[in-house]
Amino acid sequence: MVKSKWDFGVFQLFTAIFLSINLYVDITVVASSLTEPLAQQELDRVWELPGQNFNVSFAHYSGYVTVNEESGRALFYWFIEAVEDPASKPLVLWLNGGPGCSSIGFGEAEEIGPFHIHADGKTLYLNPYSWNQVANILFIDSPVGVGFSYSNTSSDLVNNGDKRTAADSLIFLLKWVERFPQYKGRDFYITGESYAGHYVPQLSQAIVRYNQATKRKAINLRGYMVGNALTDDYHDHLGVFEFMWAAGLISDQTYKKLNLLCDFQSFVHSSDACGAILEVADKELGDIDHYSIFTPPCTTNSSGSNRLLKKRHRVGHVSKKYDPCTEAHSTVYFNLPEVQKALHVSPEFLPSKWETCSDLVNENWKDSPRTVLNIYHELIHSGLRIWMFSGDTDAVIPVTSTRYSIDALKLPTTKPWHAWYDDGQVGGWTQEYAGLNFVVVRGAGHEVPLHRPKLALALIKTFLSGVSMPTHELVSAS
């Protein structure tokens, strides 16, 4: 169990960032003399994907950015420009969590990206609710060992943690905007879900501190938004157990034991006693999708099914019509050699098998602070736009967990709890605080854009606009 204090961890993170930045500066001086950024962009451009029987009006790119020359760590990215007028749209980064899960496999292929995968695992369809309707979207497989990201140093794969993930992600962004200079200074937002409840605020903090130290805005961070996000181990545990009990998923006896044995445990590094009672709870829940308790689970032998509660921090496996087996389709598609070639995956660094989540990364995770609420306090004062959202049918990091964590921030309410609407129907509920907005998405599970894609598009559109979620004005009969 990690016992170092978070403040000391932040100091270590910031030190690591600046060591890496010094290396980065040296690298870019050399790289700029060798490769013209626009030429590298063209090398990264994806012209067509296997199984794509439709045309698109936007450009997209994929490839690697080396974040540490010494060890050979490189992060894989997929960047998809906005459908219309990308020069006028903000840049949005999406991160999935795990830790150890692919933002390509989840975020792009079944949530907010335009290219979604049919059940045959070979053909694609266009997602009409892709977030590139309103923004340029960037996906990163982070950290190394996840998806197509790699390291030449094998020990890197078993030494990942929150600190290095934030440091490497900052290096990635600084180098990526050198490759895509047209996005330098562009309004930039970070979004993500689940364990990215750590990644997103930690990376935001790293960017803010880097900008303050260098007295320039190489990355023009304007805000961040996280969904069903791991935020504070104690409050998240309280919320998980309360949600499962209130929904009738577990017994009174198990509910009491969960609170007794797990409330003060780490989500990532829990005790054996906590793990044992979580297994009991898992059996009581039965064969349901913990990430979406009212929809059917996947009935294939997908590796992602029923890993909870032990693996409750992993993103779920929950599209035109709802399909609970989308994770299985991604596994087939991204293992096709022709797909890997189209995405510029280097055969030299290709994993033996592409997987949605890496057990090696997950099971060897080093540092995971018990809370990121202190980062919220710091960044709220920096003036960033900060939103949290929750699908209300998720039993992994449920709406109750996020409400407990927000309550712990002790922020004054500026707009009380009320319903928000989409096309005349209640889309969910929202409350606004001084420095933070909270949005519940009605009927959504852990992966909100998967279960409620239309509502998720309304959410990101409103977030980027910097206004409140739309309310429904009743029209009186004349």
Side-chain angles (χ1 to χ4, degrees):
M1 186 181 299
V2 179
K3 293 185 178 179
S4 58
K5 291 187 177 178
W6 174 238
D7 287 343
F8 178 65
V10 170
F11 174 77
Q12 287 182 317
L13 168 62
F14 205 38
T15 302
I17 289 169
F18 272 94
L19 288 175
S20 300
I21 295 303
N22 289 333
L23 176 62
Y24 154 75
V25 172
D26 294 337
I27 293 167
T28 46
V29 169
V30 175
S32 62
S33 65
L34 297 175
T35 308
E36 186 68 28
L38 295 179
Q40 184 60 53
Q41 274 188 47
E42 285 306 301
L43 291 175
D44 286 358
R45 183 154 184 180
V46 180
W47 293 100
E48 190 172 359
L49 291 167
Q52 178 188 335
N53 58 5
F54 51 86
N55 295 323
V56 295
S57 60
F58 52 85
H60 58 118
Y61 308 80
S62 66
Y64 301 94
V65 172
T66 299
V67 295
N68 188 291
E69 290 283 348
E70 185 178 354
S71 69
R73 289 202 301 275
L75 298 181
F76 183 81
Y77 81 91
W78 193 349
F79 172 57
I80 302 171
E81 290 194 320
V83 172
E84 295 180 358
D85 195 13
S88 70
K89 302 290 196 305
L91 175 63
V92 172
L93 169 66
W94 173 272
L95 297 170
N96 281 95
C101 294
S102 167
S103 299
I104 306 298
F106 289 102
E108 197 295 312
E110 66 180 51
E111 295 189 79
I112 71 165
F115 302 107
H116 285 194
I117 304 167
H118 280 297
D120 61 8
K122 296 179 181 179
T123 56
L124 303 175
Y125 64 92
L126 193 63
N127 172 21
Y129 302 109
S130 173
W131 285 12
N132 78 324
Q133 300 288 332
V134 295
N136 304 284
I137 48 178
L138 175 62
F139 302 92
I140 307 174
D141 274 345
S142 176
V144 293
V146 173
F148 293 123
S149 295
Y150 70 88
S151 176
N152 291 332
T153 306
S154 58
S155 60
D156 273 351
L157 306 186
V158 294
N159 283 292
N160 284 304
D162 283 23
K163 297 186 192 73
R164 198 176 74 184
T165 298
D168 282 358
S169 296
L170 175 58
I171 302 299
F172 172 93
L173 290 172
L174 290 167
K175 296 185 75 172
W176 187 88
V177 295
E178 293 297 328
R179 187 176 302 182
F180 289 82
Q182 67 267 40
Y183 287 93
K184 269 189 178 180
R186 186 74 61 92
D187 284 359
F188 177 62
Y189 299 88
I190 310 178
T191 57
E193 69 188 18
S194 197
Y195 196 83
H198 279 207
Y199 296 161
V200 172
Q202 288 166 347
L203 177 56
S204 298
Q205 180 190 52
I207 293 170
V208 167
R209 291 185 172 190
Y210 175 79
N211 287 345
Q212 290 171 343
T214 58
K215 294 182 170 49
R216 61 190 181 93
K217 283 194 175 182
I219 302 167
N220 185 23
L221 180 65
R222 302 298 302 275
Y224 69 83
M225 179 170 68
V226 291
N228 293 84
L230 184 67
T231 304
D232 178 273
D233 286 357
Y234 174 73
H235 293 102
D236 287 342
H237 272 130
L238 281 180
V240 170
F241 306 148
E242 183 174 310
F243 180 88
M244 292 193 298
W245 178 79
L249 304 178
I250 58 173
S251 66
D252 293 357
Q253 182 182 24
T254 298
Y255 173 58
K256 291 174 184 176
K257 286 186 177 179
L258 283 167
N259 281 304
L260 177 67
L261 298 172
C262 296
D263 279 354
F264 294 94
Q265 295 292 310
S266 164
F267 253 72
V268 177
H269 303 111
S270 59
S271 68
D272 291 342
C274 174
I277 192 62
L278 285 170
E279 293 289 355
V280 172
D282 192 36
K283 290 178 182 177
E284 290 184 352
L285 265 71
D287 187 18
I288 66 169
D289 187 344
H290 309 72
Y291 300 89
S292 175
I293 64 173
F294 299 123
T295 51
C298 181
T299 55
T300 69
N301 292 322
S302 170
S303 62
S305 62
N306 279 335
R307 291 191 174 182
L308 217 66
L309 291 171
K310 268 276 202 168
K311 298 293 183 186
R312 65 195 180 283
H313 47 278
R314 301 185 76 153
V315 291
H317 52 273
V318 192
S319 344
K320 298 185 345 182
K321 186 176 180 181
Y322 171 65
D323 180 352
C325 299
T326 48
E327 181 182 0
H329 312 334
S330 295
T331 302
V332 173
Y333 188 76
F334 289 112
N335 274 295
L336 296 174
E338 58 269 33
V339 172
Q340 295 168 356
K341 183 178 180 181
L343 291 174
H344 312 124
V345 175
S346 172
E348 182 182 358
F349 304 111
L350 185 65
S352 57
K353 180 186 178 184
W354 183 93
E355 296 179 307
T356 51
C357 298
S358 166
D359 285 336
L360 183 67
V361 170
N362 181 272
E363 292 168 5
N364 291 280
W365 199 255
K366 299 306 178 188
D367 57 291
S368 178
R370 296 291 189 90
T371 185
V372 293
L373 290 178
N374 54 321
I375 300 180
Y376 276 78
H377 280 299
E378 177 182 337
L379 297 184
I380 285 171
H381 292 301
S382 74
L384 293 182
R385 182 181 307 157
I386 300 174
W387 284 32
M388 303 179 80
F389 65 92
S390 285
D392 62 3
T393 68
D394 173 33
V396 181
I397 309 290
V399 61
T400 43
S401 293
T402 302
R403 294 182 80 169
Y404 274 128
S405 291
I406 291 174
D407 186 61
L409 288 170
K410 302 187 184 306
L411 301 173
T413 295
T414 57
K415 280 191 179 180
W417 190 267
H418 61 277
W420 63 272
Y421 287 77
D422 180 71
D423 284 346
Q425 299 294 318
V426 173
W429 298 266
T430 183
Q431 182 162 336
E432 297 182 18
Y433 302 85
L436 185 146
N437 282 17
F438 176 50
V439 179
V440 178
V441 181
R442 180 185 176 201
H446 191 67
E447 296 176 81
V448 168
L450 172 62
H451 287 100
R452 291 291 182 266
K454 185 172 182 291
L455 297 182
L457 181 59
L459 173 67
I460 184 64
K461 186 181 297 186
T462 307
F463 168 71
L464 294 175
S465 299
V467 296
S468 299
M469 293 302 291
T471 55
H472 180 62
E473 297 294 333
L474 293 175
V475 179
S476 59
S478 57

